[in-house]
Amino acid sequence: MTSRDAVSSCSLDKGRLGGVSSAVEGVSFNPIGIISSPYKEKFGIPRQPGLVTEAQATLTLLPPYNQSETVRGLEQFSHVWVIFVFHATQDQGWKPTVRPPRLGGNARLGVFATRSTFRPNPLGLSVAKLSAIQVQGRTISLVLTGADLLDGTPVLDIKPYLPYADALSQASAGFAQDTPPAMQTVSFSALASAQCEQQQARWQTNMRRLVEQILSQDPRPSYQHGQPQGRVYAMRLYDFDLRWHYTPAGIEVLELSSN
């Protein structure tokens, strides 16, 4: 799905709700911006924001919201909430129960007890570090660090992160109380190491560190854990294919292929 298609498909229609005025039967939202990110497909995207701190995304505001007035004062905040559409999965509908990856895919929980993409309304909420606000004429962009957003994601709203209200130290979080530990050790072939240096120069990103952070979380579906080693996995990152396989020592990055 292209960014243009994603924008045009962001009408979120709701059915009639018992006891609620028919005026809210159809609720639609206009995207206020589009995400550009290194993640070109769903596979490999970190399952929560902040786990891959080397990743940077750019949120570019769309007309008529691309006015400098709309971001006045936002530079005073270090982080922002991004409300967005799961545009790549919205056509698959929703499920009343899902299998959270943190539980190994072995237990089902209600969709509202998870952050699954398969929701009645395909809305996501992500927090990211606001690294820069770039204003060039009518092009206004926010540089977001640590975002877990697919390239082309339509954004519905931006809100400043308020530490006193949004960071609750005494909150409990069920099965996801703690940050997941890195599950895999990541090594690089000689070819992949050289290619990381080349791509780092192109994208002005610590490419080796970025790849390590992505793969150490083990992006495989839970049901593939424990399968025989040797299978080569790939994900689209920037404009190349990142390829790796699993060994007794962990993950070995094979190449960053531009083919």
Side-chain angles (χ1 to χ4, degrees):
M1 181 180 293
T2 65
S3 298
R4 185 179 298 274
D5 292 335
V7 172
S8 64
S9 66
C10 278
S11 178
L12 306 179
D13 294 325
K14 298 182 178 179
R16 187 185 181 100
L17 302 176
V20 180
S21 168
S22 61
V24 298
E25 284 186 6
V27 179
S28 62
F29 300 95
N30 294 318
I32 57 93
I34 289 290
I35 291 290
S36 297
S37 88
Y39 304 119
K40 306 304 180 182
E41 60 185 16
K42 293 178 292 178
F43 180 58
I45 296 179
R47 296 185 175 101
Q48 297 296 338
L51 296 178
V52 178
T53 57
E54 289 296 329
Q56 282 199 339
T58 300
L59 195 173
T60 301
L61 297 182
L62 296 171
Y65 315 107
N66 56 334
Q67 306 174 37
S68 59
E69 290 86 351
T70 64
V71 294
R72 181 185 301 162
L74 189 59
E75 74 282 354
Q76 300 175 40
F77 296 88
S78 65
H79 292 73
V80 293
W81 288 108
V82 179
I83 301 171
F84 62 93
V85 177
F86 288 118
H87 66 292
T89 57
Q90 62 178 344
D91 292 339
Q92 299 178 32
W94 71 285
K95 300 176 181 179
T97 63
V98 296
R99 299 177 185 271
R102 285 289 293 272
L103 297 179
N106 298 318
R108 283 193 172 275
L109 292 179
V111 63
F112 297 134
T114 76
R115 296 192 176 189
S116 168
T117 61
F118 302 106
R119 318 191 70 78
N121 293 309
L123 298 180
L125 178 67
S126 187
V127 66
K129 180 180 179 180
L130 180 59
S131 294
I133 301 175
Q134 300 173 340
V135 179
Q136 297 179 338
R138 300 295 286 183
T139 300
I140 301 177
S141 301
L142 310 184
V143 179
L144 307 176
T145 298
D148 56 343
L149 299 170
L150 180 66
D151 189 59
T153 292
V155 174
L156 300 182
D157 202 4
I158 306 161
K159 298 181 185 294
Y161 179 91
L162 304 179
Y164 79 90
D166 298 335
L168 306 177
S169 61
Q170 302 304 313
S172 60
F175 64 89
Q177 184 68 36
D178 301 312
T179 302
M183 295 179 285
Q184 295 286 336
T185 299
V186 180
S187 63
F188 293 76
S189 69
L191 174 61
S193 292
Q195 291 171 331
C196 278
E197 292 185 9
Q198 295 169 358
Q199 295 294 349
Q200 178 167 319
R202 289 186 61 213
W203 297 104
Q204 299 299 303
T205 298
N206 187 332
M207 195 62 64
R208 187 182 182 98
R209 180 60 178 158
L210 175 63
V211 170
E212 287 177 342
Q213 289 184 341
I214 292 173
L215 296 186
S216 66
Q217 302 296 324
D218 198 348
R220 291 177 299 176
S222 298
Y223 69 85
Q224 292 185 1
H225 293 183
Q227 290 188 355
Q229 298 166 358
R231 174 179 175 179
V232 175
Y233 289 80
M235 66 174 287
R236 194 69 177 170
L237 194 64
Y238 290 103
D239 62 351
F240 57 84
D241 289 328
L242 175 64
R243 301 182 186 277
W244 72 93
H245 67 174
Y246 293 81
T247 73
I251 289 174
E252 181 186 24
V253 182
L254 300 173
E255 63 175 339
L256 285 61
S257 173
S258 58
N259 295 331

